[in-house]
């Protein structure tokens, strides 16, 4: 139960970070930041929150190589989803925390989502779905930012 609350808390913070960055960068005045600078600020804020979530895990093992992503799909609400598959190579049931980064066609950061795939039996593959925290337009790509088995 605590893991579920932490996952939703991370998502809420990412929404707030991305939303605040979007609002702060809008408007006139001629002093707007360049899009690359905005993306850099959003990337730093979102990944810092994700890193905090990963730091909470004790005795976790980096398993980025055991995670595969499906193709990103845009839903009717404009949010992008991607299937996340985690392979449990351990000899007991384990859970996984995975950070999925969404980028545009140029590789610029658009969003980050942290999700938990819980209780994957030894030798099995578990699945989850990463869903962007806001509407993403254009070509969206997904990549594994980091993944930990615990």
């Amino acid at each position: 139960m605590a893991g579920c609350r932490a996952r939703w808390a991370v998502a809420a913070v990412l929404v707030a970070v991305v939303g605040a960055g979007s609002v702060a960068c809008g408007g006139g005045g001629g002093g707007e930041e360049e899009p690359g600078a905005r993306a850099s600020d959003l990337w730093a804020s979102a990944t810092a929150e994700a890193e905090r979530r990963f730091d909470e895990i004790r005795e976790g093992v980096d398993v980025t190589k055991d995670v595969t992503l499906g193709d990103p799909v845009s839903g009717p609400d404009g949010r992008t989803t991607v299937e996340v598959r985690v392979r449990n190579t351990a000899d007991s049931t384990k859970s996984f925390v995975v950070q999925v980064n969404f980028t545009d066609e140029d590789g610029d950061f658009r969003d980050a989502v942290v999700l938990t795939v819980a209780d994957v039996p030894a030798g099995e593959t578990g699945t989850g779905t990463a869903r962007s925290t806001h509407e993403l337009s254009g070509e969206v790509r997904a990549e594994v930012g980091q993944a930990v088995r615990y």
Side-chain angles (χ1 to χ4, degrees), residues 70-83 102-103 110 129-142:
D71 293 326
V73 176
S74 182
D77 62 354
R79 291 189 180 194
T80 302
T81 61
V82 64
E83 182 182 55
F102 292 101
T103 63
R110 301 292 307 280
T129 301
R131 182 174 186 255
S132 65
T133 60
H134 61 281
E135 183 176 329
L136 302 177
S137 60
E139 182 181 335
V140 178
R141 298 180 181 165

Side-chain angles (χ1 to χ4, degrees), residues 75-98:
D77 62 354
R79 291 189 180 194
T80 302
T81 61
V82 64
E83 182 182 55
V84 177
R85 292 178 300 281
V86 294
R87 187 170 45 105
N88 184 2
T89 58
D91 58 2
S92 62
T93 298
K94 298 290 183 180
S95 294
F96 298 77
V97 173
V98 180

